[in-house]
Amino acid sequence: MIFSIPSLAGSLIFIIPGFIAKRNLNFLFIRIVFLTGLFYCAEQFLIILSAETNGSVITALFILFGDAIISPLFAVFLKINTREIKYGIFFISMIIMLLATSLVISYGNSIKIPGETGILLLLGVAGSVPLLFLTLNKSIEKYGTTEALAGTFFWPGLVTIVLSLTVGSLTIQSDSLIPALSLILTGITSMGLAYILFFKSAKISSFSIASVMQSFIPVFTLLTVHFTEGIAISLFSISMIIIASFGASISVLSIRDH
């Protein structure tokens, strides 16, 4: 339910305007959308499991690693976009990010990876981000943001909620309304408005600047966890995460789209 409810709620942000514009729902049945939906499902489940196992801060850091380092390398290698990378700056940024992340894991005290399962989940998170990014980028270029994102969120959400209701049992408890509403709000903001605002900001301030702001997600995650969950975070961890985010920012700025 943590996956399916936000996915379905987020998909409505794109399905409703898409239906109003086209007067049909044919865009939900675009072939590549089923592939992006599969990668989105894998990515989100890995993120959820990693956040539960390793914590949200280190998980956010590995999402950033997949987004700012691995995704551009895959894009250039596979020639999905014609991009020019200033490799000297890019590899410096990668070294900064790797060192900072390694130090957080090794000496962060308050942030630890609990065993091999935690490591595999983090590697899965970092590897699944490029798969989603590359296929979703191709889908958006061909069909548009609304059409690509609507089905990407809708089908995984629908399939998982049907499966969960089939293999399990749904019980409505008196205290379940607030958690359900919070999941709906999560979908509307994270899967809906966040994507819309990102692409709009990219048009106004350039893709690089918008992506640089994304690089500070681990920092905001760290602060949010500290104030909402009362988890004590060491000054060393804070410093290393800020340095890793700075390295990711350099990485993004070293890439130029043609």
Side-chain angles (χ1 to χ4, degrees):
M1 291 301 173
I2 291 174
F3 171 82
S4 57
I5 293 177
S7 296
L8 290 173
S11 70
L12 291 177
I13 299 294
F14 301 100
I15 290 174
I16 293 172
F19 178 76
I20 292 173
K22 297 181 177 296
R23 299 297 178 183
N24 62 64
L25 294 174
N26 292 340
F27 56 88
L28 289 177
F29 299 92
I30 300 171
R31 284 186 180 181
I32 194 173
V33 161
F34 294 103
L35 183 60
T36 57
L38 178 64
F39 289 148
Y40 165 73
C41 187
E43 180 208 49
Q44 290 299 310
F45 267 102
L46 285 168
I47 289 172
I48 291 170
L49 292 172
S50 178
E52 184 181 14
T53 305
N54 302 304
S56 55
V57 176
I58 196 69
T59 299
L61 203 57
F62 272 76
I63 293 171
L64 177 59
F65 184 75
D67 186 32
I69 301 292
I70 301 177
S71 291
L73 286 176
F74 274 29
V76 172
F77 180 75
L78 298 174
K79 298 181 179 179
I80 291 178
N81 283 330
T82 306
R83 290 185 167 192
E84 175 188 341
I85 290 185
K86 298 176 182 177
Y87 284 100
I89 298 175
F90 184 83
F91 284 117
I92 289 173
S93 72
M94 186 165 60
I95 291 170
I96 292 172
M97 192 168 179
L98 283 172
L99 284 175
T101 305
S102 300
L103 288 171
V104 167
I105 296 168
S106 302
Y107 304 104
N109 297 325
S110 54
I111 300 175
K112 294 289 184 182
I113 299 177
E116 295 178 356
T117 301
I119 294 173
L120 289 174
L121 286 171
L122 287 173
L123 292 176
V125 167
S128 63
V129 169
L131 290 177
L132 176 62
F133 168 79
L134 297 174
T135 52
L136 188 56
N137 182 64
K138 184 177 180 180
S139 179
I140 289 173
E141 284 184 347
K142 189 171 183 179
Y143 299 104
T145 304
T146 298
E147 292 79 358
L149 291 174
T152 297
F153 296 150
F154 175 75
W155 292 115
L158 180 64
V159 169
T160 52
I161 201 168
V162 169
L163 285 174
S164 67
L165 293 175
T166 301
V167 301
S169 60
L170 180 65
T171 56
I172 305 299
Q173 301 175 355
S174 59
D175 60 346
S176 63
L177 180 60
I178 298 301
L181 289 176
S182 69
L183 289 175
I184 292 172
L185 182 62
T186 297
I188 292 173
T189 54
S190 298
M191 282 79 176
L193 296 178
Y195 280 85
I196 293 171
L197 291 173
F198 174 78
F199 287 111
K200 285 188 177 295
S201 66
K203 288 182 180 179
I204 297 171
S205 60
S206 83
F207 182 82
S208 293
I209 298 300
S211 296
V212 165
M213 295 305 297
Q214 280 197 129
S215 298
F216 291 96
I217 288 176
V219 179
F220 288 112
T221 304
L222 184 73
L223 295 174
T224 302
V225 166
H226 175 70
F227 287 109
T228 60
E229 300 180 20
I231 296 176
I233 306 295
S234 67
L235 181 60
F236 181 85
S237 295
I238 294 173
S239 302
M240 290 302 103
I241 288 173
I242 291 174
I243 291 172
S245 299
F246 175 71
S249 302
I250 298 174
S251 157
V252 173
L253 292 176
S254 71
I255 304 167
R256 180 179 299 172
D257 290 319
H258 291 293

